[in-house]
Amino acid sequence: SPVATGVLAVADSWACTNPSLGRGASIGLIHAVALRDLLRIASIDVPMELAQRWHEVTDATVEPYYRATLEFDRHRLGEIDAGIEGKTYDPGDPQYEISQAWAAAAGKDPELFRGLLRTLAVLENPETVLAQPGLLEKIVELGSGWRDEPTLAPTRAELLAIVAG
């Protein structure tokens, strides 16, 4: 629950993430619009109620994007560490497996590609897109072999050789 009244933190003043995904401005704009909408219906004369409602609105609108970005970062760092150690990254996380399968399958199906772009562009939450009938099944069918597909980047050894050369 809120710890202060009289302050409604928005965008990066509420929470900020690694800029590598380029979603900060989009999330911030979603948050600003949510505040505008709340202030149209909520009273500023009852600060605790306003703070509580803002907390609830924030949880519903931008918290999922914030958490998803943190999860992406956690897994990406795990992939990097595993690559440095010459290991395969396997966190045992079903959401990670689905996200990787979706990325692989998106290049094989325009519907999956459009859905992935909607999530990456912060237009819809992945859960909303994945709830479309048959979409998850198509991701599993087309992307479950993602670990065996060729990568479009040099291996760590190749990259180190390029840098050394």
Side-chain angles (χ1 to χ4, degrees):
S1 65
V3 295
T5 59
V7 176
L8 302 175
V10 179
D12 282 356
S13 65
W14 170 73
C16 55
T17 59
N18 179 342
S20 65
L21 294 179
R23 328 171 98 175
S26 298
I27 294 171
L29 286 171
I30 291 168
H31 211 197
V33 168
L35 178 58
R36 178 206 62 193
D37 293 346
L38 177 64
L39 291 175
R40 286 180 173 168
I41 60 171
S43 171
I44 62 172
D45 297 328
V46 186
M48 187 58 192
E49 182 181 316
L50 180 61
Q52 183 61 44
R53 289 184 72 184
W54 180 234
H55 175 72
E56 292 163 3
V57 167
T58 295
D59 280 353
T61 57
V62 295
E63 177 87 14
Y65 292 113
Y66 169 72
R67 294 286 169 208
T69 303
L70 293 183
E71 279 299 297
F72 176 86
D73 287 346
R74 182 175 69 83
H75 288 301
R76 186 64 192 121
L77 289 172
E79 291 169 341
I80 291 168
D81 289 343
I84 289 170
E85 296 170 11
K87 298 178 181 176
T88 299
Y89 179 66
D90 187 1
D93 178 356
Q95 285 185 313
Y96 173 78
E97 293 294 325
I98 290 297
S99 69
Q100 295 301 310
W102 194 356
K108 302 171 188 168
D109 182 274
E111 180 185 15
L112 296 178
F113 181 67
R114 285 188 295 273
L116 183 62
L117 286 181
R118 285 195 309 274
T119 66
L120 295 175
V122 193
L123 299 173
E124 289 184 75
N125 280 317
E127 294 79 19
T128 304
V129 176
L130 290 172
Q132 296 175 22
L135 200 75
L136 185 57
E137 292 78 10
K138 195 183 287 190
I139 290 170
V140 171
E141 175 190 339
L142 297 176
S144 62
W146 68 270
R147 287 188 188 274
D148 301 323
E149 294 188 12
T151 60
L152 302 175
T155 64
R156 176 168 174 75
E158 293 167 337
L159 182 60
L160 290 175
I162 291 168
V163 171

